[in-house]
Amino acid sequence: MPIGFVESLLWLSLNVYHESRGEPEIGQLAVAHVTLNRALEDNKSLADVILAPNQFSWTFQKKAYAPLEINPLQESLRVALKAMATPDFTSGSTFYHHVDVAPKWTTGKSFIGRYGSHKFYRHNDPPISAAAF
């Protein structure tokens, strides 16, 4: 197993853990797919996407990244691996927020749906398809 894959799996697992542990699996998978979609869209590593300034709250609001709950960590690892191996069902979403907030950045974005306690969005541009060529 290549080191890059293991590092990506670790970062994706940490993001799922900190952003959506306690959510139903569909919500955790959606968070994972947003993270994967951002990496694909920006042609960056998962670490670069997750650690980009002010993108995921846990990276700048917490003093330590180490998970403290083993069962949710195991679940996050399983969900991250599943997301890496399954098609995106979020229609290319690259944004989400908790349902209890209404951020201004949603203006001009296409609402895709709600999974768990998060709402998911993408740019208004239609997703790129090979069929367009």
Side-chain angles (χ1 to χ4, degrees):
M1 192 175 301
I3 294 295
F5 174 79
V6 173
E7 181 182 359
S8 294
L9 181 59
L10 171 65
W11 279 109
L12 189 57
S13 299
L14 286 172
N15 207 45
V16 169
Y17 175 88
H18 289 293
E19 292 285 311
S20 60
R21 74 179 178 277
E23 291 285 318
E25 181 181 274
I26 191 85
Q28 292 181 45
L29 278 168
V31 165
H33 278 294
V34 163
T35 313
L36 292 166
N37 289 341
R38 285 188 188 185
L40 288 170
E41 181 178 275
D42 298 337
N43 196 28
K44 292 184 176 179
S45 72
L46 286 172
D48 287 343
V49 166
I50 292 166
L51 294 174
N54 301 313
Q55 295 303 300
F56 295 99
S57 61
W58 66 274
T59 63
F60 60 90
Q61 291 179 349
K62 292 184 174 270
K63 292 181 180 168
Y65 296 168
L68 301 176
E69 304 165 78
I70 191 65
N71 289 340
L73 176 60
Q74 289 174 330
E75 179 66 8
S76 297
L77 180 62
R78 186 189 67 74
V79 167
L81 190 56
K82 184 173 184 176
M84 293 172 91
T86 58
D88 174 28
F89 60 88
T90 70
S91 299
S93 292
T94 50
F95 308 94
Y96 64 88
H97 66 81
H98 195 272
V99 295
D100 291 342
V101 297
K104 292 179 182 176
W105 58 255
T106 60
T107 302
K109 306 277 188 297
S110 295
F111 174 69
I112 300 304
R114 177 179 172 168
Y115 304 103
S117 62
H118 290 96
K119 292 182 176 181
F120 292 79
Y121 303 81
R122 72 166 196 232
H123 295 289
N124 277 333
D125 301 334
I128 295 173
S129 169
F133 296 100

PDB file of all heavy atoms in Angstrom, residues 107-123:
ATOM      1  N   THR A 107     -24.583  32.245  -0.950  1.00  0.00           N
ATOM      2  CA  THR A 107     -25.107  33.019  -2.070  1.00  0.00           C
ATOM      3  C   THR A 107     -24.319  32.674  -3.333  1.00  0.00           C
ATOM      4  O   THR A 107     -23.093  32.679  -3.327  1.00  0.00           O
ATOM      5  CB  THR A 107     -24.996  34.534  -1.769  1.00  0.00           C
ATOM      6  OG1 THR A 107     -25.711  34.809  -0.573  1.00  0.00           O
ATOM      7  CG2 THR A 107     -25.564  35.358  -2.921  1.00  0.00           C
ATOM      8  N   GLY A 108     -25.036  32.359  -4.371  1.00  0.00           N
ATOM      9  CA  GLY A 108     -24.379  32.016  -5.623  1.00  0.00           C
ATOM     10  C   GLY A 108     -23.959  30.553  -5.725  1.00  0.00           C
ATOM     11  O   GLY A 108     -23.341  30.156  -6.703  1.00  0.00           O
ATOM     12  N   LYS A 109     -24.284  29.758  -4.742  1.00  0.00           N
ATOM     13  CA  LYS A 109     -23.975  28.325  -4.772  1.00  0.00           C
ATOM     14  C   LYS A 109     -25.270  27.548  -5.007  1.00  0.00           C
ATOM     15  O   LYS A 109     -26.360  27.992  -4.664  1.00  0.00           O
ATOM     16  CB  LYS A 109     -23.362  27.862  -3.445  1.00  0.00           C
ATOM     17  CG  LYS A 109     -22.156  28.641  -2.976  1.00  0.00           C
ATOM     18  CD  LYS A 109     -20.897  28.160  -3.622  1.00  0.00           C
ATOM     19  CE  LYS A 109     -19.655  28.772  -3.035  1.00  0.00           C
ATOM     20  NZ  LYS A 109     -19.493  30.211  -3.169  1.00  0.00           N
ATOM     21  N   SER A 110     -25.159  26.378  -5.580  1.00  0.00           N
ATOM     22  CA  SER A 110     -26.305  25.498  -5.780  1.00  0.00           C
ATOM     23  C   SER A 110     -26.471  24.594  -4.565  1.00  0.00           C
ATOM     24  O   SER A 110     -25.539  23.877  -4.197  1.00  0.00           O
ATOM     25  CB  SER A 110     -26.094  24.625  -7.023  1.00  0.00           C
ATOM     26  OG  SER A 110     -26.059  25.407  -8.179  1.00  0.00           O
ATOM     27  N   PHE A 111     -27.646  24.631  -3.954  1.00  0.00           N
ATOM     28  CA  PHE A 111     -27.951  23.741  -2.836  1.00  0.00           C
ATOM     29  C   PHE A 111     -28.181  22.342  -3.389  1.00  0.00           C
ATOM     30  O   PHE A 111     -28.975  22.145  -4.313  1.00  0.00           O
ATOM     31  CB  PHE A 111     -29.197  24.233  -2.090  1.00  0.00           C
ATOM     32  CG  PHE A 111     -29.657  23.299  -1.018  1.00  0.00           C
ATOM     33  CD1 PHE A 111     -28.918  23.113   0.135  1.00  0.00           C
ATOM     34  CD2 PHE A 111     -30.840  22.590  -1.169  1.00  0.00           C
ATOM     35  CE1 PHE A 111     -29.351  22.245   1.130  1.00  0.00           C
ATOM     36  CE2 PHE A 111     -31.280  21.719  -0.181  1.00  0.00           C
ATOM     37  CZ  PHE A 111     -30.530  21.552   0.971  1.00  0.00           C
ATOM     38  N   ILE A 112     -27.480  21.370  -2.840  1.00  0.00           N
ATOM     39  CA  ILE A 112     -27.580  19.992  -3.323  1.00  0.00           C
ATOM     40  C   ILE A 112     -28.503  19.164  -2.443  1.00  0.00           C
ATOM     41  O   ILE A 112     -29.324  18.398  -2.928  1.00  0.00           O
ATOM     42  CB  ILE A 112     -26.180  19.342  -3.399  1.00  0.00           C
ATOM     43  CG1 ILE A 112     -25.279  20.133  -4.344  1.00  0.00           C
ATOM     44  CG2 ILE A 112     -26.280  17.883  -3.802  1.00  0.00           C
ATOM     45  CD1 ILE A 112     -25.819  20.302  -5.752  1.00  0.00           C
ATOM     46  N   GLY A 113     -28.360  19.294  -1.138  1.00  0.00           N
ATOM     47  CA  GLY A 113     -29.207  18.521  -0.242  1.00  0.00           C
ATOM     48  C   GLY A 113     -28.702  18.559   1.183  1.00  0.00           C
ATOM     49  O   GLY A 113     -27.662  19.142   1.476  1.00  0.00           O
ATOM     50  N   ARG A 114     -29.483  17.935   2.036  1.00  0.00           N
ATOM     51  CA  ARG A 114     -29.121  17.825   3.443  1.00  0.00           C
ATOM     52  C   ARG A 114     -28.831  16.367   3.753  1.00  0.00           C
ATOM     53  O   ARG A 114     -29.627  15.477   3.407  1.00  0.00           O
ATOM     54  CB  ARG A 114     -30.259  18.323   4.325  1.00  0.00           C
ATOM     55  CG  ARG A 114     -29.972  18.155   5.793  1.00  0.00           C
ATOM     56  CD  ARG A 114     -31.096  18.663   6.653  1.00  0.00           C
ATOM     57  NE  ARG A 114     -30.855  18.312   8.051  1.00  0.00           N
ATOM     58  CZ  ARG A 114     -31.517  18.786   9.069  1.00  0.00           C
ATOM     59  NH1 ARG A 114     -32.502  19.650   8.856  1.00  0.00           N
ATOM     60  NH2 ARG A 114     -31.233  18.405  10.289  1.00  0.00           N
ATOM     61  N   TYR A 115     -27.690  16.138   4.384  1.00  0.00           N
ATOM     62  CA  TYR A 115     -27.307  14.800   4.841  1.00  0.00           C
ATOM     63  C   TYR A 115     -26.935  14.937   6.304  1.00  0.00           C
ATOM     64  O   TYR A 115     -25.990  15.647   6.634  1.00  0.00           O
ATOM     65  CB  TYR A 115     -26.134  14.239   4.031  1.00  0.00           C
ATOM     66  CG  TYR A 115     -26.404  14.196   2.545  1.00  0.00           C
ATOM     67  CD1 TYR A 115     -25.859  15.138   1.689  1.00  0.00           C
ATOM     68  CD2 TYR A 115     -27.228  13.218   2.006  1.00  0.00           C
ATOM     69  CE1 TYR A 115     -26.117  15.106   0.330  1.00  0.00           C
ATOM     70  CE2 TYR A 115     -27.496  13.179   0.648  1.00  0.00           C
ATOM     71  CZ  TYR A 115     -26.934  14.128  -0.182  1.00  0.00           C
ATOM     72  OH  TYR A 115     -27.198  14.087  -1.529  1.00  0.00           O
ATOM     73  N   GLY A 116     -27.688  14.281   7.166  1.00  0.00           N
ATOM     74  CA  GLY A 116     -27.452  14.465   8.590  1.00  0.00           C
ATOM     75  C   GLY A 116     -27.790  15.900   8.954  1.00  0.00           C
ATOM     76  O   GLY A 116     -28.798  16.444   8.517  1.00  0.00           O
ATOM     77  N   SER A 117     -26.934  16.542   9.733  1.00  0.00           N
ATOM     78  CA  SER A 117     -27.211  17.911  10.173  1.00  0.00           C
ATOM     79  C   SER A 117     -26.409  18.951   9.393  1.00  0.00           C
ATOM     80  O   SER A 117     -26.123  20.031   9.893  1.00  0.00           O
ATOM     81  CB  SER A 117     -26.944  18.047  11.673  1.00  0.00           C
ATOM     82  OG  SER A 117     -25.583  17.791  11.949  1.00  0.00           O
ATOM     83  N   HIS A 118     -26.035  18.616   8.154  1.00  0.00           N
ATOM     84  CA  HIS A 118     -25.313  19.553   7.303  1.00  0.00           C
ATOM     85  C   HIS A 118     -26.042  19.737   5.966  1.00  0.00           C
ATOM     86  O   HIS A 118     -26.649  18.796   5.447  1.00  0.00           O
ATOM     87  CB  HIS A 118     -23.887  19.056   7.028  1.00  0.00           C
ATOM     88  CG  HIS A 118     -23.003  19.102   8.224  1.00  0.00           C
ATOM     89  ND1 HIS A 118     -22.784  18.006   9.024  1.00  0.00           N
ATOM     90  CD2 HIS A 118     -22.279  20.121   8.760  1.00  0.00           C
ATOM     91  CE1 HIS A 118     -21.966  18.344  10.003  1.00  0.00           C
ATOM     92  NE2 HIS A 118     -21.645  19.616   9.865  1.00  0.00           N
ATOM     93  N   LYS A 119     -25.938  20.949   5.424  1.00  0.00           N
ATOM     94  CA  LYS A 119     -26.446  21.259   4.087  1.00  0.00           C
ATOM     95  C   LYS A 119     -25.249  21.329   3.148  1.00  0.00           C
ATOM     96  O   LYS A 119     -24.215  21.888   3.503  1.00  0.00           O
ATOM     97  CB  LYS A 119     -27.189  22.587   4.084  1.00  0.00           C
ATOM     98  CG  LYS A 119     -28.490  22.550   4.858  1.00  0.00           C
ATOM     99  CD  LYS A 119     -29.190  23.897   4.770  1.00  0.00           C
ATOM    100  CE  LYS A 119     -30.533  23.844   5.461  1.00  0.00           C
ATOM    101  NZ  LYS A 119     -31.242  25.157   5.356  1.00  0.00           N
ATOM    102  N   PHE A 120     -25.417  20.802   1.940  1.00  0.00           N
ATOM    103  CA  PHE A 120     -24.322  20.673   0.984  1.00  0.00           C
ATOM    104  C   PHE A 120     -24.585  21.495  -0.266  1.00  0.00           C
ATOM    105  O   PHE A 120     -25.725  21.581  -0.737  1.00  0.00           O
ATOM    106  CB  PHE A 120     -24.103  19.194   0.645  1.00  0.00           C
ATOM    107  CG  PHE A 120     -23.576  18.430   1.825  1.00  0.00           C
ATOM    108  CD1 PHE A 120     -24.418  18.026   2.843  1.00  0.00           C
ATOM    109  CD2 PHE A 120     -22.223  18.162   1.935  1.00  0.00           C
ATOM    110  CE1 PHE A 120     -23.922  17.356   3.951  1.00  0.00           C
ATOM    111  CE2 PHE A 120     -21.722  17.498   3.036  1.00  0.00           C
ATOM    112  CZ  PHE A 120     -22.569  17.094   4.047  1.00  0.00           C
ATOM    113  N   TYR A 121     -23.498  22.070  -0.804  1.00  0.00           N
ATOM    114  CA  TYR A 121     -23.565  22.980  -1.943  1.00  0.00           C
ATOM    115  C   TYR A 121     -22.422  22.702  -2.912  1.00  0.00           C
ATOM    116  O   TYR A 121     -21.412  22.119  -2.548  1.00  0.00           O
ATOM    117  CB  TYR A 121     -23.424  24.442  -1.487  1.00  0.00           C
ATOM    118  CG  TYR A 121     -24.440  24.882  -0.483  1.00  0.00           C
ATOM    119  CD1 TYR A 121     -24.291  24.584   0.869  1.00  0.00           C
ATOM    120  CD2 TYR A 121     -25.558  25.608  -0.873  1.00  0.00           C
ATOM    121  CE1 TYR A 121     -25.227  24.983   1.809  1.00  0.00           C
ATOM    122  CE2 TYR A 121     -26.503  26.020   0.056  1.00  0.00           C
ATOM    123  CZ  TYR A 121     -26.332  25.711   1.400  1.00  0.00           C
ATOM    124  OH  TYR A 121     -27.264  26.113   2.316  1.00  0.00           O
ATOM    125  N   ARG A 122     -22.594  23.237  -4.114  1.00  0.00           N
ATOM    126  CA  ARG A 122     -21.503  23.253  -5.089  1.00  0.00           C
ATOM    127  C   ARG A 122     -21.580  24.570  -5.842  1.00  0.00           C
ATOM    128  O   ARG A 122     -22.570  25.302  -5.757  1.00  0.00           O
ATOM    129  CB  ARG A 122     -21.573  22.064  -6.030  1.00  0.00           C
ATOM    130  CG  ARG A 122     -22.689  22.134  -7.036  1.00  0.00           C
ATOM    131  CD  ARG A 122     -22.487  21.095  -8.139  1.00  0.00           C
ATOM    132  NE  ARG A 122     -23.345  21.441  -9.240  1.00  0.00           N
ATOM    133  CZ  ARG A 122     -24.181  20.628  -9.816  1.00  0.00           C
ATOM    134  NH1 ARG A 122     -24.276  19.374  -9.423  1.00  0.00           N
ATOM    135  NH2 ARG A 122     -24.914  21.026 -10.820  1.00  0.00           N
ATOM    136  N   HIS A 123     -20.542  24.833  -6.614  1.00  0.00           N
ATOM    137  CA  HIS A 123     -20.560  26.010  -7.474  1.00  0.00           C
ATOM    138  C   HIS A 123     -21.730  25.881  -8.431  1.00  0.00           C
ATOM    139  O   HIS A 123     -22.159  24.777  -8.773  1.00  0.00           O
ATOM    140  CB  HIS A 123     -19.252  26.119  -8.266  1.00  0.00           C
ATOM    141  CG  HIS A 123     -18.054  26.363  -7.408  1.00  0.00           C
ATOM    142  ND1 HIS A 123     -17.817  27.563  -6.773  1.00  0.00           N
ATOM    143  CD2 HIS A 123     -17.017  25.562  -7.071  1.00  0.00           C
ATOM    144  CE1 HIS A 123     -16.696  27.490  -6.092  1.00  0.00           C
ATOM    145  NE2 HIS A 123     -16.187  26.281  -6.246  1.00  0.00           N
TER     146      HIS A 123
END
